[in-house]
PDB file of all heavy atoms in Angstrom:
ATOM      1  N   GLY A  12       1.235  19.295   1.182  1.00 73.00           N
ATOM      2  CA  GLY A  12       0.292  20.346   0.857  1.00 73.00           C
ATOM      3  C   GLY A  12      -0.545  20.769   2.036  1.00 73.00           C
ATOM      4  O   GLY A  12      -0.445  20.245   3.149  1.00 73.00           O
ATOM      5  N   PHE A  25      -9.139  17.765  17.716  1.00 92.00           N
ATOM      6  CA  PHE A  25     -10.192  16.870  18.189  1.00 92.00           C
ATOM      7  C   PHE A  25      -9.701  16.012  19.348  1.00 92.00           C
ATOM      8  O   PHE A  25     -10.375  15.863  20.355  1.00 92.00           O
ATOM      9  CB  PHE A  25     -10.657  15.969  17.030  1.00 92.00           C
ATOM     10  CG  PHE A  25     -11.736  15.010  17.427  1.00 92.00           C
ATOM     11  CD1 PHE A  25     -13.049  15.410  17.466  1.00 92.00           C
ATOM     12  CD2 PHE A  25     -11.429  13.695  17.750  1.00 92.00           C
ATOM     13  CE1 PHE A  25     -14.048  14.517  17.799  1.00 92.00           C
ATOM     14  CE2 PHE A  25     -12.402  12.799  18.121  1.00 92.00           C
ATOM     15  CZ  PHE A  25     -13.732  13.210  18.150  1.00 92.00           C
ATOM     16  N   LEU A  59     -11.626   1.644  49.309  1.00 93.00           N
ATOM     17  CA  LEU A  59     -10.796   0.436  49.251  1.00 93.00           C
ATOM     18  C   LEU A  59     -11.642  -0.792  48.936  1.00 93.00           C
ATOM     19  O   LEU A  59     -11.225  -1.672  48.170  1.00 93.00           O
ATOM     20  CB  LEU A  59     -10.062   0.251  50.563  1.00 93.00           C
ATOM     21  CG  LEU A  59      -8.984   1.293  50.871  1.00 93.00           C
ATOM     22  CD1 LEU A  59      -8.375   1.036  52.266  1.00 93.00           C
ATOM     23  CD2 LEU A  59      -7.890   1.270  49.826  1.00 93.00           C
ATOM     24  N   THR A  65     -13.776  -4.296  42.451  1.00 94.00           N
ATOM     25  CA  THR A  65     -13.518  -4.106  41.024  1.00 94.00           C
ATOM     26  C   THR A  65     -12.441  -5.066  40.541  1.00 94.00           C
ATOM     27  O   THR A  65     -12.579  -5.707  39.480  1.00 94.00           O
ATOM     28  CB  THR A  65     -13.089  -2.657  40.733  1.00 94.00           C
ATOM     29  OG1 THR A  65     -14.120  -1.763  41.158  1.00 94.00           O
ATOM     30  CG2 THR A  65     -12.805  -2.453  39.246  1.00 94.00           C
ATOM     31  N   VAL A  68     -13.922  -8.723  40.610  1.00 94.00           N
ATOM     32  CA  VAL A  68     -14.850  -8.960  39.498  1.00 94.00           C
ATOM     33  C   VAL A  68     -14.063  -9.054  38.177  1.00 94.00           C
ATOM     34  O   VAL A  68     -14.360  -9.918  37.316  1.00 94.00           O
ATOM     35  CB  VAL A  68     -15.910  -7.845  39.439  1.00 94.00           C
ATOM     36  CG1 VAL A  68     -16.720  -7.956  38.129  1.00 94.00           C
ATOM     37  CG2 VAL A  68     -16.815  -7.919  40.636  1.00 94.00           C
ATOM     38  N   ASN A  76     -14.073 -15.618  30.822  1.00 94.00           N
ATOM     39  CA  ASN A  76     -14.120 -15.318  29.384  1.00 94.00           C
ATOM     40  C   ASN A  76     -12.880 -15.803  28.642  1.00 94.00           C
ATOM     41  O   ASN A  76     -12.922 -16.037  27.436  1.00 94.00           O
ATOM     42  CB  ASN A  76     -14.265 -13.802  29.180  1.00 94.00           C
ATOM     43  CG  ASN A  76     -15.706 -13.354  29.349  1.00 94.00           C
ATOM     44  OD1 ASN A  76     -16.623 -14.144  29.234  1.00 94.00           O
ATOM     45  ND2 ASN A  76     -15.885 -12.071  29.628  1.00 94.00           N
ATOM     46  N   LEU A  86     -14.440 -23.611  18.437  1.00 88.00           N
ATOM     47  CA  LEU A  86     -15.667 -24.211  17.893  1.00 88.00           C
ATOM     48  C   LEU A  86     -16.033 -23.597  16.547  1.00 88.00           C
ATOM     49  O   LEU A  86     -16.315 -24.319  15.579  1.00 88.00           O
ATOM     50  CB  LEU A  86     -16.815 -24.021  18.883  1.00 88.00           C
ATOM     51  CG  LEU A  86     -18.211 -24.430  18.410  1.00 88.00           C
ATOM     52  CD1 LEU A  86     -18.288 -25.935  18.268  1.00 88.00           C
ATOM     53  CD2 LEU A  86     -19.270 -23.923  19.368  1.00 88.00           C
ATOM     54  N   PHE A  92     -21.114 -27.206  11.449  1.00 83.00           N
ATOM     55  CA  PHE A  92     -22.353 -27.758  11.984  1.00 83.00           C
ATOM     56  C   PHE A  92     -23.503 -26.786  11.726  1.00 83.00           C
ATOM     57  O   PHE A  92     -23.270 -25.598  11.455  1.00 83.00           O
ATOM     58  CB  PHE A  92     -22.198 -28.008  13.493  1.00 83.00           C
ATOM     59  CG  PHE A  92     -21.786 -26.786  14.266  1.00 83.00           C
ATOM     60  CD1 PHE A  92     -22.751 -25.944  14.836  1.00 83.00           C
ATOM     61  CD2 PHE A  92     -20.443 -26.498  14.425  1.00 83.00           C
ATOM     62  CE1 PHE A  92     -22.347 -24.818  15.536  1.00 83.00           C
ATOM     63  CE2 PHE A  92     -20.053 -25.369  15.132  1.00 83.00           C
ATOM     64  CZ  PHE A  92     -21.000 -24.538  15.688  1.00 83.00           C
ATOM     65  N   ILE A  98     -24.866 -19.200  16.352  1.00 86.00           N
ATOM     66  CA  ILE A  98     -23.978 -19.106  17.531  1.00 86.00           C
ATOM     67  C   ILE A  98     -23.029 -17.929  17.378  1.00 86.00           C
ATOM     68  O   ILE A  98     -22.798 -17.164  18.345  1.00 86.00           O
ATOM     69  CB  ILE A  98     -23.197 -20.430  17.711  1.00 86.00           C
ATOM     70  CG1 ILE A  98     -24.145 -21.535  18.136  1.00 86.00           C
ATOM     71  CG2 ILE A  98     -22.089 -20.251  18.746  1.00 86.00           C
ATOM     72  CD1 ILE A  98     -23.473 -22.891  18.319  1.00 86.00           C
ATOM     73  N   ALA A 141     -26.169  -8.593  44.724  1.00 90.00           N
ATOM     74  CA  ALA A 141     -25.068  -9.288  45.341  1.00 90.00           C
ATOM     75  C   ALA A 141     -23.926  -9.420  44.317  1.00 90.00           C
ATOM     76  O   ALA A 141     -24.118  -9.163  43.124  1.00 90.00           O
ATOM     77  CB  ALA A 141     -25.497 -10.681  45.837  1.00 90.00           C
ATOM     78  N   GLN A 142     -22.797  -9.858  44.783  1.00 91.00           N
ATOM     79  CA  GLN A 142     -21.637  -9.945  43.910  1.00 91.00           C
ATOM     80  C   GLN A 142     -21.800 -10.920  42.744  1.00 91.00           C
ATOM     81  O   GLN A 142     -21.298 -10.649  41.643  1.00 91.00           O
ATOM     82  CB  GLN A 142     -20.397 -10.286  44.732  1.00 91.00           C
ATOM     83  CG  GLN A 142     -19.969  -9.181  45.693  1.00 91.00           C
ATOM     84  CD  GLN A 142     -18.713  -9.477  46.442  1.00 91.00           C
ATOM     85  OE1 GLN A 142     -17.985 -10.403  46.081  1.00 91.00           O
ATOM     86  NE2 GLN A 142     -18.423  -8.715  47.491  1.00 91.00           N
ATOM     87  N   VAL A 150     -19.457 -10.445  32.977  1.00 94.00           N
ATOM     88  CA  VAL A 150     -19.102 -11.509  32.047  1.00 94.00           C
ATOM     89  C   VAL A 150     -19.896 -11.374  30.753  1.00 94.00           C
ATOM     90  O   VAL A 150     -19.340 -11.514  29.652  1.00 94.00           O
ATOM     91  CB  VAL A 150     -19.362 -12.899  32.683  1.00 94.00           C
ATOM     92  CG1 VAL A 150     -19.273 -14.005  31.628  1.00 94.00           C
ATOM     93  CG2 VAL A 150     -18.356 -13.164  33.807  1.00 94.00           C
ATOM     94  N   LEU A 161      -9.535 -13.943  18.669  1.00 91.00           N
ATOM     95  CA  LEU A 161      -8.958 -15.223  18.277  1.00 91.00           C
ATOM     96  C   LEU A 161      -9.481 -15.748  16.950  1.00 91.00           C
ATOM     97  O   LEU A 161      -8.742 -16.392  16.200  1.00 91.00           O
ATOM     98  CB  LEU A 161      -9.222 -16.253  19.372  1.00 91.00           C
ATOM     99  CG  LEU A 161      -8.543 -16.034  20.727  1.00 91.00           C
ATOM    100  CD1 LEU A 161      -8.964 -17.109  21.710  1.00 91.00           C
ATOM    101  CD2 LEU A 161      -7.041 -15.995  20.580  1.00 91.00           C
ATOM    102  N   LEU A 165      -7.213 -17.621  14.068  1.00 89.00           N
ATOM    103  CA  LEU A 165      -7.391 -19.054  13.832  1.00 89.00           C
ATOM    104  C   LEU A 165      -7.817 -19.331  12.405  1.00 89.00           C
ATOM    105  O   LEU A 165      -7.451 -20.327  11.776  1.00 89.00           O
ATOM    106  CB  LEU A 165      -8.399 -19.627  14.818  1.00 89.00           C
ATOM    107  CG  LEU A 165      -7.925 -19.821  16.270  1.00 89.00           C
ATOM    108  CD1 LEU A 165      -9.074 -20.184  17.173  1.00 89.00           C
ATOM    109  CD2 LEU A 165      -6.839 -20.887  16.324  1.00 89.00           C
ATOM    110  N   ASN A 170      -5.922 -25.089   9.588  1.00 82.00           N
ATOM    111  CA  ASN A 170      -5.695 -26.305  10.406  1.00 82.00           C
ATOM    112  C   ASN A 170      -4.787 -27.317   9.721  1.00 82.00           C
ATOM    113  O   ASN A 170      -4.755 -28.493  10.116  1.00 82.00           O
ATOM    114  CB  ASN A 170      -7.054 -26.952  10.740  1.00 82.00           C
ATOM    115  CG  ASN A 170      -7.826 -27.343   9.481  1.00 82.00           C
ATOM    116  OD1 ASN A 170      -7.408 -27.056   8.345  1.00 82.00           O
ATOM    117  ND2 ASN A 170      -8.962 -27.956   9.688  1.00 82.00           N
ATOM    118  N   ILE A 190       1.461 -26.305  18.629  1.00 85.00           N
ATOM    119  CA  ILE A 190       1.201 -25.801  17.279  1.00 85.00           C
ATOM    120  C   ILE A 190       0.183 -24.658  17.266  1.00 85.00           C
ATOM    121  O   ILE A 190       0.472 -23.590  16.734  1.00 85.00           O
ATOM    122  CB  ILE A 190       0.691 -26.961  16.375  1.00 85.00           C
ATOM    123  CG1 ILE A 190       1.788 -28.018  16.231  1.00 85.00           C
ATOM    124  CG2 ILE A 190       0.277 -26.430  14.981  1.00 85.00           C
ATOM    125  CD1 ILE A 190       1.373 -29.233  15.448  1.00 85.00           C
ATOM    126  N   TRP A 197      -0.443 -14.065  21.140  1.00 84.00           N
ATOM    127  CA  TRP A 197      -0.492 -12.602  21.245  1.00 84.00           C
ATOM    128  C   TRP A 197      -1.897 -12.088  21.057  1.00 84.00           C
ATOM    129  O   TRP A 197      -2.321 -11.150  21.764  1.00 84.00           O
ATOM    130  CB  TRP A 197       0.470 -11.983  20.231  1.00 84.00           C
ATOM    131  CG  TRP A 197       1.899 -12.327  20.492  1.00 84.00           C
ATOM    132  CD1 TRP A 197       2.729 -13.039  19.689  1.00 84.00           C
ATOM    133  CD2 TRP A 197       2.667 -12.019  21.653  1.00 84.00           C
ATOM    134  NE1 TRP A 197       3.965 -13.190  20.271  1.00 84.00           N
ATOM    135  CE2 TRP A 197       3.966 -12.560  21.468  1.00 84.00           C
ATOM    136  CE3 TRP A 197       2.392 -11.318  22.837  1.00 84.00           C
ATOM    137  CZ2 TRP A 197       4.960 -12.432  22.427  1.00 84.00           C
ATOM    138  CZ3 TRP A 197       3.386 -11.204  23.779  1.00 84.00           C
ATOM    139  CH2 TRP A 197       4.637 -11.746  23.578  1.00 84.00           C
ATOM    140  N   ALA A 198      -2.668 -12.665  20.169  1.00 86.00           N
ATOM    141  CA  ALA A 198      -4.067 -12.287  20.040  1.00 86.00           C
ATOM    142  C   ALA A 198      -4.844 -12.612  21.304  1.00 86.00           C
ATOM    143  O   ALA A 198      -5.714 -11.867  21.732  1.00 86.00           O
ATOM    144  CB  ALA A 198      -4.684 -12.985  18.827  1.00 86.00           C
ATOM    145  N   TYR A 199      -4.503 -13.762  21.902  1.00 90.00           N
ATOM    146  CA  TYR A 199      -5.168 -14.196  23.132  1.00 90.00           C
ATOM    147  C   TYR A 199      -4.895 -13.210  24.260  1.00 90.00           C
ATOM    148  O   TYR A 199      -5.808 -12.747  24.954  1.00 90.00           O
ATOM    149  CB  TYR A 199      -4.640 -15.585  23.497  1.00 90.00           C
ATOM    150  CG  TYR A 199      -5.372 -16.242  24.650  1.00 90.00           C
ATOM    151  CD1 TYR A 199      -6.694 -16.622  24.506  1.00 90.00           C
ATOM    152  CD2 TYR A 199      -4.726 -16.510  25.852  1.00 90.00           C
ATOM    153  CE1 TYR A 199      -7.371 -17.241  25.561  1.00 90.00           C
ATOM    154  CE2 TYR A 199      -5.377 -17.117  26.901  1.00 90.00           C
ATOM    155  CZ  TYR A 199      -6.697 -17.484  26.741  1.00 90.00           C
ATOM    156  OH  TYR A 199      -7.370 -18.093  27.790  1.00 90.00           O
ATOM    157  N   TYR A 201      -3.919 -10.137  23.922  1.00 85.00           N
ATOM    158  CA  TYR A 201      -4.541  -8.847  23.507  1.00 85.00           C
ATOM    159  C   TYR A 201      -6.025  -8.842  23.883  1.00 85.00           C
ATOM    160  O   TYR A 201      -6.529  -7.838  24.425  1.00 85.00           O
ATOM    161  CB  TYR A 201      -4.368  -8.684  22.014  1.00 85.00           C
ATOM    162  CG  TYR A 201      -4.796  -7.337  21.462  1.00 85.00           C
ATOM    163  CD1 TYR A 201      -3.969  -6.234  21.625  1.00 85.00           C
ATOM    164  CD2 TYR A 201      -5.981  -7.188  20.770  1.00 85.00           C
ATOM    165  CE1 TYR A 201      -4.356  -5.003  21.137  1.00 85.00           C
ATOM    166  CE2 TYR A 201      -6.351  -5.970  20.259  1.00 85.00           C
ATOM    167  CZ  TYR A 201      -5.543  -4.889  20.446  1.00 85.00           C
ATOM    168  OH  TYR A 201      -5.908  -3.653  19.934  1.00 85.00           O
ATOM    169  N   ALA A 210     -14.034  -4.705  31.642  1.00 92.00           N
ATOM    170  CA  ALA A 210     -14.624  -5.158  32.904  1.00 92.00           C
ATOM    171  C   ALA A 210     -14.438  -4.151  34.019  1.00 92.00           C
ATOM    172  O   ALA A 210     -15.340  -3.926  34.841  1.00 92.00           O
ATOM    173  CB  ALA A 210     -13.990  -6.483  33.303  1.00 92.00           C
ATOM    174  N   LEU A 227     -20.454  -3.054  49.778  1.00 88.00           N
ATOM    175  CA  LEU A 227     -20.774  -4.439  49.473  1.00 88.00           C
ATOM    176  C   LEU A 227     -20.818  -4.731  47.970  1.00 88.00           C
ATOM    177  O   LEU A 227     -20.195  -5.677  47.500  1.00 88.00           O
ATOM    178  CB  LEU A 227     -22.098  -4.825  50.132  1.00 88.00           C
ATOM    179  CG  LEU A 227     -22.155  -4.808  51.648  1.00 88.00           C
ATOM    180  CD1 LEU A 227     -23.573  -5.120  52.138  1.00 88.00           C
ATOM    181  CD2 LEU A 227     -21.169  -5.829  52.228  1.00 88.00           C
ATOM    182  N   LEU A 233     -19.391   2.739  40.220  1.00 93.00           N
ATOM    183  CA  LEU A 233     -20.569   3.028  41.027  1.00 93.00           C
ATOM    184  C   LEU A 233     -20.213   3.917  42.228  1.00 93.00           C
ATOM    185  O   LEU A 233     -20.978   4.796  42.615  1.00 93.00           O
ATOM    186  CB  LEU A 233     -21.217   1.741  41.502  1.00 93.00           C
ATOM    187  CG  LEU A 233     -21.737   0.790  40.440  1.00 93.00           C
ATOM    188  CD1 LEU A 233     -22.432  -0.413  41.077  1.00 93.00           C
ATOM    189  CD2 LEU A 233     -22.674   1.494  39.484  1.00 93.00           C
ATOM    190  N   ILE A 235     -17.775   6.074  42.280  1.00 92.00           N
ATOM    191  CA  ILE A 235     -17.552   7.417  41.741  1.00 92.00           C
ATOM    192  C   ILE A 235     -18.870   8.144  41.550  1.00 92.00           C
ATOM    193  O   ILE A 235     -19.001   9.343  41.886  1.00 92.00           O
ATOM    194  CB  ILE A 235     -16.784   7.312  40.407  1.00 92.00           C
ATOM    195  CG1 ILE A 235     -15.362   6.826  40.654  1.00 92.00           C
ATOM    196  CG2 ILE A 235     -16.777   8.666  39.665  1.00 92.00           C
ATOM    197  CD1 ILE A 235     -14.609   6.451  39.393  1.00 92.00           C
ATOM    198  N   ALA A 247     -14.662  11.916  44.100  1.00 91.00           N
ATOM    199  CA  ALA A 247     -15.090  11.337  42.814  1.00 91.00           C
ATOM    200  C   ALA A 247     -13.966  11.413  41.787  1.00 91.00           C
ATOM    201  O   ALA A 247     -13.676  10.414  41.095  1.00 91.00           O
ATOM    202  CB  ALA A 247     -16.325  12.075  42.292  1.00 91.00           C
ATOM    203  N   PHE A 248     -13.307  12.536  41.698  1.00 91.00           N
ATOM    204  CA  PHE A 248     -12.245  12.677  40.699  1.00 91.00           C
ATOM    205  C   PHE A 248     -10.979  11.954  41.117  1.00 91.00           C
ATOM    206  O   PHE A 248     -10.188  11.552  40.266  1.00 91.00           O
ATOM    207  CB  PHE A 248     -11.963  14.161  40.438  1.00 91.00           C
ATOM    208  CG  PHE A 248     -13.022  14.823  39.562  1.00 91.00           C
ATOM    209  CD1 PHE A 248     -14.006  15.599  40.127  1.00 91.00           C
ATOM    210  CD2 PHE A 248     -13.019  14.610  38.200  1.00 91.00           C
ATOM    211  CE1 PHE A 248     -14.988  16.209  39.329  1.00 91.00           C
ATOM    212  CE2 PHE A 248     -13.982  15.213  37.406  1.00 91.00           C
ATOM    213  CZ  PHE A 248     -14.957  15.992  37.963  1.00 91.00           C
ATOM    214  N   ILE A 263      -0.915   0.733  27.526  1.00 83.00           N
ATOM    215  CA  ILE A 263       0.503   0.424  27.260  1.00 83.00           C
ATOM    216  C   ILE A 263       0.700  -1.076  26.993  1.00 83.00           C
ATOM    217  O   ILE A 263       1.402  -1.477  26.051  1.00 83.00           O
ATOM    218  CB  ILE A 263       1.375   0.883  28.436  1.00 83.00           C
ATOM    219  CG1 ILE A 263       1.354   2.413  28.542  1.00 83.00           C
ATOM    220  CG2 ILE A 263       2.811   0.393  28.274  1.00 83.00           C
ATOM    221  CD1 ILE A 263       2.042   2.942  29.776  1.00 83.00           C
TER     222      ILE A 263
END
Side-chain angles (χ1 to χ4, degrees):
F25 180 83
L59 292 177
T65 301
V68 170
N76 280 339
L86 173 69
F92 55 92
I98 291 179
Q142 293 184 14
V150 168
L161 294 178
L165 286 170
N170 59 356
I190 296 176
W197 296 116
Y199 188 67
Y201 188 76
L227 295 175
L233 298 184
I235 291 170
F248 284 101
I263 294 172

